[in-house]
């Protein structure tokens, strides 16, 4: 299974977002990870639809939208119409999971469910057949630059086993505290889509940093 790197622009310089997107393209990241926070589902507020629309106009890179908002179903069409290629919503949100998956798929967008570090994998198992990807959060959602939570590794292993045993094909994404060291742990547990923000943007050589995560 091919490993993919999704760069979180939460750590980018917002005043130079266009240049930052070019830099990610040049350094061969596979996707751009777009964190949307509403100040209710998590204790932070980021950016939303107009910024996604602007990014979509200047790049063909896959736009991986992570909705940390309490009512994702309400906003599926808006994010899909403004460039999202993948929409991830939280199982802990208020929206009905199947209704939300269907709404995403009706727009021709890939659907994913995210789990906070303390949410057990069993909660999402029944939805896995309908999903393109499951996001196992490796930090509490809300902020970039946090420390990787080691106890999430066994969740990745359990989910990969469930996917294999049931002959399914969903990707497993990880998000939070991913660097050259933690990426090796999550990949050996079965994750194949790696989100990274602060490690990539703080690295002196982004192309090497991308390789360290992917390989
Ligand atoms: C956290 C976000 C992450 C964050 C990751 O709530 O979902 O995508 O940007 O940042 P790092 O890689 O710095 O942990
Ligand atoms: Zn994220």
């Amino acid at each position: 299974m091919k490993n993919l790197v999704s760069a979180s622009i939460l750590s980018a310089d917002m005043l130079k977002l266009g240049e930052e997107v070019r830099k990610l393209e040049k350094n061969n990241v596979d996707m751009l990870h777009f964190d949307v926070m509403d100040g209710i589902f998590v204790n932070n507020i980021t950016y939303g639809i107009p910024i996604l629309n602007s990014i979509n106009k200047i790049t063909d890179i896959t736009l991986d939208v992570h909705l940390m908002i309490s009512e994702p179903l309400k906003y599926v069409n808006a994010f899909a119409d403004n460039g999202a290629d993948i929409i991830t919503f939280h199982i802990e949100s208020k929206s009905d999971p199947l209704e939300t998956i269907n709404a995403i798929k009706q727009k021709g967008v890939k659907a994913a469910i995210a789990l906070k570090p303390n949410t057990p994998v069993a909660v999402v198992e029944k939805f896995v057949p309908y999903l393109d990807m499951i996001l196992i959060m490796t930090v509490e959602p809300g902020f970039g630059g946090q420390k990787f939570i080691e106890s999430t590794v066994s969740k990745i292993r359990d989910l990969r086993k469930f996917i294999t045993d049931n002959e399914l094909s969903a990707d497993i994404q990880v998000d939070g505290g991913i660097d050259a060291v933690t990426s090796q742990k999550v990949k050996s547990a079965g994750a194949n889509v790696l989100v990274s923000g602060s490690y990539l943007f703080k690295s002196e050589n982004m192309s090497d940093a991308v390789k360290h995560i992917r390989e």
Side-chain angles (χ1 to χ4, degrees), residues 7-8 22 30 41 45 86 96 108 133 141 143 145 168 178 212:
S8 170
R22 291 284 168 263
D30 302 286
F41 184 76
I45 298 177
I86 304 172
D96 179 76
M133 184 170 84
F143 297 90
L168 298 168
I178 298 299
H212 289 145

Side-chain angles (χ1 to χ4, degrees), residues 87-105:
I87 295 179
T88 302
F89 65 96
H90 272 264
I91 193 71
E92 305 88 354
S93 73
K94 285 185 186 163
S95 299
D96 179 76
L98 270 187
E99 255 185 84
T100 310
I101 293 169
N102 288 336
I104 296 170
K105 293 207 156 172

Side-chain angles (χ1 to χ4, degrees), residues 21-53:
V21 172
R22 291 284 168 263
K23 187 177 173 189
L24 296 173
E25 287 175 333
K26 262 188 221 136
N27 289 295
N28 294 316
V29 307
D30 302 286
M31 302 177 190
L32 192 154
H33 185 83
F34 190 83
D35 287 305
V36 181
M37 306 186 192
D38 64 356
I40 300 166
F41 184 76
V42 289
N43 260 331
N44 196 6
I45 298 177
T46 53
Y47 30 69
I49 293 149
I51 308 281
L52 183 70
N53 178 286

Side-chain angles (χ1 to χ4, degrees), residues 8 10 33-37 66 68 135 137 175-176 195:
S8 170
L10 195 55
H33 185 83
F34 190 83
D35 287 305
V36 181
M37 306 186 192
H66 178 193
M68 285 161 275
L135 165 54
M137 288 299 297
D175 183 11
V195 176

Side-chain angles (χ1 to χ4, degrees), residues 62-210:
T62 300
L63 299 178
D64 163 32
V65 174
H66 178 193
L67 298 179
M68 285 161 275
I69 64 178
S70 56
E71 294 188 66
L73 179 56
K74 268 193 187 174
Y75 300 94
V76 163
N77 289 353
F79 282 100
D81 290 341
N82 286 278
D85 297 299
I86 304 172
I87 295 179
T88 302
F89 65 96
H90 272 264
I91 193 71
E92 305 88 354
S93 73
K94 285 185 186 163
S95 299
D96 179 76
L98 270 187
E99 255 185 84
T100 310
I101 293 169
N102 288 336
I104 296 170
K105 293 207 156 172
Q106 259 168 31
K107 298 299 283 185
V109 170
K110 288 187 174 176
I113 286 183
L115 286 85
K116 291 189 193 180
N118 292 327
T119 303
V121 164
V123 173
V124 294
E125 282 177 353
K126 63 173 182 244
F127 303 114
V128 177
Y130 313 110
L131 294 170
D132 296 288
M133 184 170 84
I134 298 94
L135 165 54
I136 305 269
M137 288 299 297
T138 43
V139 298
E140 283 299 334
F143 297 90
Q146 301 182 76
K147 195 176 174 291
F148 178 82
I149 301 173
E150 300 284 341
S151 62
T152 57
V153 175
S154 60
K155 285 172 63 180
I156 300 165
R157 207 172 287 122
D158 292 349
L159 178 60
R160 180 53 73 198
K161 185 176 184 308
F162 178 86
I163 292 171
T164 310
D165 289 353
N166 291 281
E167 295 175 10
L168 298 168
S169 62
D171 288 319
I172 300 181
Q173 184 176 53
V174 286
D175 183 11
I178 298 299
D179 59 24
V181 175
T182 56
S183 58
Q184 304 311 316
K185 298 183 190 178
V186 293
K187 280 184 289 183
S188 43
N192 67 307
V193 183
L194 301 112
V195 176
S196 183
S198 49
Y199 171 71
L200 286 184
F201 282 94
K202 280 185 189 156
S203 63
E204 301 217 326
N205 184 325
M206 194 187 269
S207 158
D208 283 349
V210 170

